[in-house]
Amino acid sequence: MMMASLTSAAAPEQALVPGGIAIMDLKNYTPETHITFDGRKTTIFKQDEAWYALAAIPLKAKPGTYDFKIQQDDSTRVSKVEVRDKKYQEQRLTIKNKRKVNPSEQDMQRITSERVLKRAAKNHWSDTYPDADLIWPVSGEISSIYGLRRFFNEQERNPHNGLDIAAPEGTDVRAAADGTVIEAGDFFFSGNMVYIDHGQGLISLYAHLSRIDVKPGDVLRRGEILGAVGQTGRVTGAHLHFAVMSNGVLFDPIYLLPKQQPTAQLQ
Ligand SMILES: [Zn+2]
């Protein structure tokens, strides 16, 4: 199989910073085991016959002690995790289409209704155990990293919650892992966007696409083409905005991606 060589054997390393991930080894895991992190559900996954819980640490999280709580057979175990601080840089971008920075009243209505769809996709849950070993959805230069504090036309907006990978318009975009499409459509800021549910609250999204090749309900294998790189929505050029979340919390996708981009395999 072409994609088999892209998987790495080791479980993801944790990054105990805002925007990072906490990973816990699970001994004797059964589907009845209930694991939370800071009171939120976690993403349970299996790798090399071992079970793990993955928790996303929100970008807004304050440094300090956080708890994994493991409830099993009427007993509760707590494992403490120290989250340290991380400083994220600023990024200043100039957007030619001013409506994408200061939307009109009509745009605002659209944005409000899209927010409902986005929230539903973000908080989607399925019991399937995901493969946390993602592949690069596209190869290219990383034009913007996760977590940057963003100023569009000198106005501060939400921090960057994904990874921007620059690639020519029309380049194939591939599913980062097996999953089911839960949302696909044209959004005001994100342009053409696809959400894939991988299971256990692990969801990936692909934005600014030039075209979408899938629809909600489609089951995709890792590496399957879902659309193409474009520059739809609020952009300064063609790139893929790739974001990953666990149970509604967006974290830096870099922590689940292989260190090297498999340029030769993907193009
Ligand atoms: Zn982006």
Side-chain angles (χ1 to χ4, degrees):
M1 289 290 292
M2 185 181 76
M3 291 300 160
S5 61
L6 304 185
T7 59
S8 68
E13 280 171 41
Q14 55 180 1
L16 299 174
V17 293
I21 50 173
I23 306 266
M24 155 149 245
D25 287 343
L26 299 173
K27 309 266 183 302
N28 313 315
Y29 173 78
T30 71
E32 285 72 45
T33 314
H34 186 65
I35 302 125
T36 57
F37 179 83
D38 197 26
R40 290 190 322 272
K41 267 178 149 173
T42 57
T43 295
I44 310 297
F45 66 97
K46 193 182 185 184
Q47 205 161 308
D48 300 327
E49 302 308 307
W51 290 97
Y52 301 91
L54 176 153
I57 304 167
L59 192 55
K60 286 190 209 141
K62 298 265 178 292
T65 308
Y66 290 80
D67 288 347
F68 268 113
K69 202 177 274 179
I70 304 107
Q71 289 168 279
Q72 195 168 27
D73 304 328
D74 300 328
S75 74
T76 301
R77 194 158 58 85
V78 171
S79 173
K80 295 205 177 293
V81 158
E82 278 305 314
V83 172
R84 56 179 200 281
D85 200 9
K86 179 172 178 181
K87 291 272 175 278
Y88 287 98
Q89 304 288 313
E90 288 182 3
Q91 184 181 42
R92 288 169 193 274
L93 298 166
T94 305
I95 303 290
K96 287 199 195 86
N97 182 350
K98 295 196 168 47
R99 260 175 69 189
K100 296 288 178 191
V101 181
N102 297 108
S104 69
E105 215 166 289
Q106 201 185 344
D107 294 335
M108 281 312 295
Q109 285 179 13
R110 182 181 163 189
I111 292 162
T112 304
S113 60
E114 288 177 358
R115 216 170 265 158
V116 177
L117 296 176
K118 286 182 165 186
R119 196 175 303 133
K122 241 174 117 169
N123 294 310
H124 186 90
W125 174 267
S126 63
D127 289 331
T128 319
Y129 296 109
D131 192 344
D133 203 6
L134 305 184
I135 62 161
W136 288 87
V138 73
S139 292
E141 191 195 327
I142 293 174
S143 52
S144 181
I145 58 173
Y146 171 95
L148 297 174
R149 284 183 59 204
R150 283 197 143 172
F151 296 81
F152 291 99
N153 302 353
E154 299 304 320
Q155 297 171 66
E156 187 160 16
R157 292 292 180 266
N158 287 335
H160 192 224
N161 60 23
L163 200 60
D164 287 354
I165 310 166
E169 181 148 1
T171 307
D172 290 337
V173 173
R174 296 167 188 273
D178 292 357
T180 304
V181 177
I182 49 171
E183 183 63 59
D186 178 19
F187 290 76
F188 185 79
F189 292 118
S190 310
N192 291 320
M193 174 162 65
V194 171
Y195 283 84
I196 301 181
D197 166 34
H198 304 292
Q200 295 279 315
L202 188 69
I203 286 156
S204 60
L205 80 79
Y206 310 78
H208 309 310
L209 303 171
S210 61
R211 51 153 231 273
I212 294 177
D213 297 341
V214 294
K215 56 182 189 314
D218 286 357
V219 175
L220 302 182
R221 307 300 298 184
R222 168 209 300 252
E224 235 181 283
I225 296 169
L226 59 87
V229 172
Q231 40 190 327
T232 53
R234 186 178 61 189
V235 293
T236 56
H239 71 276
L240 174 70
H241 172 86
F242 175 57
V244 183
M245 60 209 90
S246 167
N247 295 294
V249 178
L250 289 134
F251 61 95
D252 191 342
I254 205 82
Y255 297 123
L256 296 187
L257 288 167
K259 301 250 182 308
Q260 299 276 317
Q261 285 188 20
T263 314
Q265 288 95 327
L266 283 185
Q267 291 184 347

